[in-house]
Amino acid sequence: LLNCVRVLARLIPFVYEARSDGSTIEDIVLWTQRPRPGSGADYSLGKQLVSATIDLLFTSGFTVPQATVGEDTAVRYTIWENGVGQTSSLGSSKENVSNRIEVLRLLLVLCCKTMYVPPARSVAIANRALHTIAYNANKKMVLCLLCSLLNTSLKEHSQGWAIPYRNSTAINPADELTLHAMQALFIMLEYQTPETKGGQSSDAVSDATSAEESNANTPSMVLVTGTETGTQNLFRVFVSKLHRQQEFDYLIGNIMRLLEETMRSNLSILASVTKQPTRHVMPQEATILLWLLLENNSLFKEYVVDHNRSLRLFSVLLYFMLNGYTDPAQSGMVRTISHILHYLSEDGQFATRLMQPFDQSILPSQMRIVDASLTHADFMINTAFTLLCSSKPYLVPVYSNLLLLVRNVSPYLTQISQMTADKLLSLFDIISSPAFVISEPYHVRWLIYLIEVFDYVVHYRAIDNPHLMYSMVKARSCFVRLKAFDLDKAKGELAALREKKSKSDATRTIGSLGAKADAASVTPVPSLATLKPDDSSEGAASPALSDKARGKRPDPGPASTSDTREQATTSTAPKQASPGQFQPSTEWVFSWLPDLPLDPIIAVLDALSVHVDRISNDVQRSAELAHPTEPIPSESGKSNLEPDQSDTKPADQSDTKPADQTSTEPIATVDPTLAIIHWLSSNAMTQAMPDLEDSMPEIRPRLQGMSPALVVWFKSLLWSMVYSSGVKPFGIWKNTHVRLFVIKSSQ
């Protein structure tokens, strides 16, 4: 029997593979209705194979312990391990575990049709084998299979006091079973039947209910009882109905264990010798399971948000983002975590909890930030800044989730540190630059998310974030520049950047990966790779806006009244844009620019800048009165002004003088930051702000939607994991042409 299972696992991929003319033999071999010998009913080989494989997973004496006297000796639908739906384990033998591995591998192969479908068609073409399992009307079978896979995936394999070191290339059967169980669970929960325009099931599965399904009493191994298909994925249905606290405790506890075990092993001094030679359950599988549970069970999401370890989970997830963003092989895990954090940020209670102090002791030294007052929100913004500044092309899909995460949390931000505020404004300085805005169409979405962050802070959390308000006042010219956005000038800046860097190699930037997969060249945009936290500082005061700049619509004139700074680094690009590159138009600009809530933000910054200037002058004047100026030699009288306070030096003062001359300079210059921060956190600041009642935005999170592109990416991620776990040790998909994803050599 095992040899038959292994042979089928090697042959079936060739059945799904498309031939040179685009046709397949799948329909002929697996899904053609044939008359069953000895009866008038028809059957298909594909359904029989799927049904027999499911039965093999619960066959007494093969994959489950031998049945006791009085029980059905053929098939025992029971849960393998304790956990969800089961309080005790079956006590399976090593032979049972080995057989489950073989049968689960065959089950994955039977459902691998999706790997041989191009990405553009993967959502529209049904997977009949998966449909037969996930939409099965036998609820007992589905429930036992779901709980067995879930509990096996999260089972803890205790090694006692043994040193976690393995010098053998042998695969641990328990680890392999866990990996296959997770993969089978993922593809069952992810699958949904494609629908036609009329809302009905596609033709590929419309014949799921046939005459063969009426023979419910046919012996096992010929036809599973209850193979009739239903109208919904029962795996999703049963996951959505989980509600017991002990089940949620089991799920989140073991997911946290998987993540923290890997985290501790990475930080261990034995990390160089404890890495396994085979691919064990990695954080990627744990994060995917967490995302699927959150997506399919709203009660579980509420439990995670309310759980006392939710902040610990948040910190661990951020650790894996920082630990894996430099490795392209871990980009799938980083993107999965970004979706999880975005999904959790939709809950206001979770966003509020992020304002609690952050414990950096769980992080390695290279990830820690020298600031004892950091909150979880501070660390989140710093993490987003780090990933955005890395400018990795494979992280481009993650950037929207990171900015949405900051945007959803912004109505609840309190006491953001000065370092975090400076980094956030530095990020805005780059994203709001005209050349960056027009380089790709999706850059506008990033800009809108950041503008909404500042809009929420100004209206709801101004007094709670004096450091952020101070940074916004210093970066006021960035908002003015955006308000007076001019398309012609932006195009000129972008063309100048392309011309400047067309002959040199530069670091990759955020915009180096276009939204279209077939883009022929790289679009040059201002780089975040060399961005400094203080790049957005424009001084404490800036000129007030004109009445024209305060209007509801931007100035259509060709010249901009705001200051535009040239960016230091750009990316490699040809001198001329290729035909496939984005070409912005005036209509495109007016589709988003008038809707930006810039007027109330600029009005607040104008009002605050007057008082910030006054406080700065008062502090400097008090310092001069307390320390009168004295004639001192120029050699010893050099000013010790800070770089950001150099504008306090008299304009007519010469930097160099003859040695025999003397100068009258202040003995010391007092930094007005403390006084400004104190004023910005007082009621005087709220009284100085203009009336914002009419422009008060509604606190509403931007929700996460499963777009077709996201569905295709998730399918590709799951099946690439299945492919990589089966191709190396066993060569299951060797010599077949997989079309869902691209296979690259590791060399």
Side-chain angles (χ1 to χ4, degrees), residues 31-303:
W31 309 111
T32 299
Q33 298 292 326
R34 297 178 177 84
R36 179 178 291 111
S39 66
D42 293 339
Y43 77 100
S44 63
L45 180 60
K47 285 187 177 180
Q48 274 200 310
L49 282 173
V50 172
S51 302
T53 303
I54 297 294
D55 265 3
L56 283 175
L57 290 173
F58 300 97
T59 300
S60 177
F62 185 68
T63 51
V64 297
Q66 187 68 40
T68 59
V69 178
E71 291 183 331
D72 183 9
T73 58
V75 175
R76 296 174 57 199
Y77 287 133
T78 183
I79 301 175
W80 298 341
E81 304 289 347
N82 62 303
V84 177
Q86 182 80 353
T87 58
S88 61
S89 178
L90 289 178
S92 305
S93 64
K94 292 183 178 180
E95 183 180 358
N96 295 146
V97 171
S98 178
N99 293 339
R100 288 175 194 169
I101 295 173
E102 298 285 354
V103 179
L104 277 176
R105 189 180 297 122
L106 175 60
L107 183 65
L108 291 171
V109 171
L110 283 170
C111 300
C112 73
K113 165 67 178 178
T114 307
M115 288 200 302
Y116 297 93
V117 178
R121 302 179 59 194
S122 60
V123 179
I125 296 181
N127 188 318
R128 302 187 205 186
L130 265 177
H131 183 276
T132 303
I133 303 172
Y135 287 75
N136 201 303
N138 189 340
K139 294 183 179 180
K140 182 178 180 180
M141 182 275 292
V142 172
L143 185 60
C144 289
L145 180 58
L146 170 64
C147 294
S148 296
L149 296 176
L150 188 58
N151 296 344
T152 302
S153 301
L154 298 177
K155 181 182 178 181
E156 182 176 4
H157 305 292
S158 177
Q159 296 182 352
W161 292 97
I163 297 177
Y165 172 73
R166 180 182 301 163
N167 57 2
S168 173
T169 58
I171 303 174
N172 187 350
D175 295 345
E176 188 177 4
L177 177 61
T178 300
L179 187 60
H180 287 327
M182 272 195 170
Q183 293 171 351
L185 179 63
F186 294 162
I187 63 174
M188 303 298 175
L189 289 175
E190 184 274 336
Y191 180 74
Q192 285 185 324
T193 301
E195 294 183 352
T196 59
K197 294 182 179 180
Q200 302 295 326
S201 298
S202 63
D203 295 337
V205 294
S206 61
D207 60 343
T209 303
S210 60
E212 69 172 285
E213 295 157 352
S214 62
N215 297 325
N217 296 323
T218 305
S220 183
M221 301 303 169
V222 176
L223 183 67
V224 169
T225 58
T227 55
E228 182 179 1
T229 52
T231 58
Q232 53 186 344
N233 187 332
L234 287 184
F235 285 84
R236 287 174 173 260
V237 172
F238 286 135
V239 167
S240 66
K241 291 183 177 181
L242 295 176
H243 63 281
R244 296 188 180 94
Q245 182 175 352
Q246 59 268 29
E247 294 175 340
F248 289 161
D249 288 339
Y250 174 81
L251 293 174
I252 193 64
N254 282 280
I255 290 175
M256 284 290 294
R257 175 183 56 80
L258 290 173
L259 293 172
E260 290 182 335
E261 282 181 354
T262 307
M263 183 176 178
R264 284 194 297 268
S265 66
N266 291 342
L267 302 178
S268 171
I269 60 175
L270 297 176
S272 60
V273 297
T274 57
K275 292 184 178 179
Q276 305 298 329
T278 59
R279 190 174 186 274
H280 178 38
V281 177
M282 302 293 286
Q284 183 166 331
E285 281 79 5
T287 54
I288 291 175
L289 178 59
L290 177 61
W291 188 19
L292 288 171
L293 292 174
L294 290 171
E295 285 281 352
N296 290 284
N297 193 309
S298 58
L299 294 177
F300 181 72
K301 178 184 178 182
E302 295 176 3
Y303 173 83

